[in-house]
Amino acid sequence: MEELSLAGGKAHVAADRAELARAAAEAVASAARTAVAARGRFALALSGGSTPRDLYRLLAADPLTAAMPWPAVHLYWGDERCVPPDHVESNFRMVREALLDKVPIPAGNVHRIPAEDPDSERAAERYEAELRASFGLGPLELPRFDLVLLGLGLDGHTASLFPGTGAVAVSDRLCFALRVEKLATHRITLSLPVLNAARGVAFLAAGADKAEPLRALAAGARSADELPAGAVRPRDGELAFWLDREAASLLPR
Ligand code: 6PG
């Protein structure tokens, strides 16, 4: 596994997607054991999209699943499409099929974004209340996730912080709803301050089409609104990138 410095964090470059999924899944399991040993719970924010699916499947299978402290694991979503939870576009559905249906995680530990609510603002407010309750937060406190998994869009978005929408600048809420014109859809997303409050953030990116956004991220020449993924810099946490060789192909060596 090649290691590179990237955007203030560390990039781990696997030979292919299979090795990427294995290595990232092992890192998640290790973070889970460390968090539970230290604080009795592992608060993990999951990424949507397609890249993390194999990682989730590996966490649901031997040998890793036996190493996961499932009763103390709390799962959240970094973002969600505003569709029902059984919709083909639902990030919750993807995680349910790859992971939740196969592991002994208590139902109360699964903190789903209620994105089926036709009032997306109200859905975001409900999720914010769920975050505050499950982390035991006061009105001005931020949840401190042990680990946030993030993807990287071709346009440099992460979670649902899309470029050119001003989403990356939202700092007065833990999560919020936004209209993504180019996708003609509404999304709900964690805000950037929540991502940057995490103990660990891990991007997952694979495939040649992610080489350009990663190159731009490494160059650091774009504004946060132009490249929201580049604004993710945990204030007091680790930043990691789990990549395959194709995605890392334009990174400076
Ligand atoms: C989503 C994700 C989004 C995703 C990127 C990369 O809801 O789609 O949260 O930020 O991680 O678009 O998606 P892929 O992994 O499918 O390339």
Side-chain angles (χ1 to χ4, degrees), residues 46-48 77-81 91 113 148-183 185-197 201 203 213 217 222-233:
L46 298 171
S47 170
W77 275 255
D79 72 327
E80 185 58 278
R81 292 84 178 274
N91 287 334
I113 300 176
V148 176
L149 298 179
L150 292 173
L152 177 65
L154 307 187
D155 60 0
H157 79 262
T158 193
S160 283
L161 302 175
F162 282 83
T165 64
V168 75
V170 172
S171 59
D172 61 341
R173 282 161 284 169
L174 303 184
C175 58
F176 61 97
L178 72 157
R179 168 87 178 157
V180 185
E181 286 306 334
K182 66 178 172 184
L183 299 177
T185 183
H186 283 83
R187 295 273 188 104
I188 291 167
T189 186
L190 293 181
S191 58
L192 182 65
V194 172
L195 304 183
N196 285 338
V201 174
F203 280 90
L217 197 149
R222 305 235 191 109
S223 73
D225 193 45
E226 289 170 327
L227 190 74
V232 177
R233 295 285 181 106

Side-chain angles (χ1 to χ4, degrees), residues 24-186:
E26 284 166 8
V28 171
S30 171
R33 289 194 299 274
T34 300
V36 171
R39 291 174 294 279
R41 134 186 167 116
F42 178 53
L44 173 62
L46 298 171
S47 170
S50 57
T51 305
R53 189 182 287 118
D54 288 343
L55 184 163
Y56 300 150
R57 285 174 176 152
L58 288 172
L59 289 178
D62 289 330
L64 282 181
T65 197
M68 283 289 287
W70 291 114
V73 174
H74 283 259
L75 297 179
Y76 303 79
W77 275 255
D79 72 327
E80 185 58 278
R81 292 84 178 274
C82 291
V83 296
D86 59 355
H87 191 283
V88 65
E89 286 292 312
S90 164
N91 287 334
F92 171 81
R93 172 175 164 178
M94 183 271 283
V95 173
R96 181 178 57 72
E97 292 173 343
L99 179 65
L100 295 181
D101 285 350
K102 305 169 186 171
V103 297
I105 186 168
N109 290 17
V110 179
H111 307 278
R112 183 180 70 83
I113 300 176
E116 69 279 9
D117 188 331
D119 180 338
S120 55
E121 291 293 341
R122 181 175 61 204
E125 287 162 7
R126 288 167 59 190
Y127 197 54
E128 175 140 348
E130 169 100 5
L131 286 167
R132 291 200 180 285
S134 65
F135 277 87
L137 296 177
L140 300 178
E141 290 179 284
L142 291 175
R144 188 153 157 74
F145 284 98
D146 293 297
L147 183 59
V148 176
L149 298 179
L150 292 173
L152 177 65
L154 307 187
D155 60 0
H157 79 262
T158 193
S160 283
L161 302 175
F162 282 83
T165 64
V168 75
V170 172
S171 59
D172 61 341
R173 282 161 284 169
L174 303 184
C175 58
F176 61 97
L178 72 157
R179 168 87 178 157
V180 185
E181 286 306 334
K182 66 178 172 184
L183 299 177
T185 183
H186 283 83

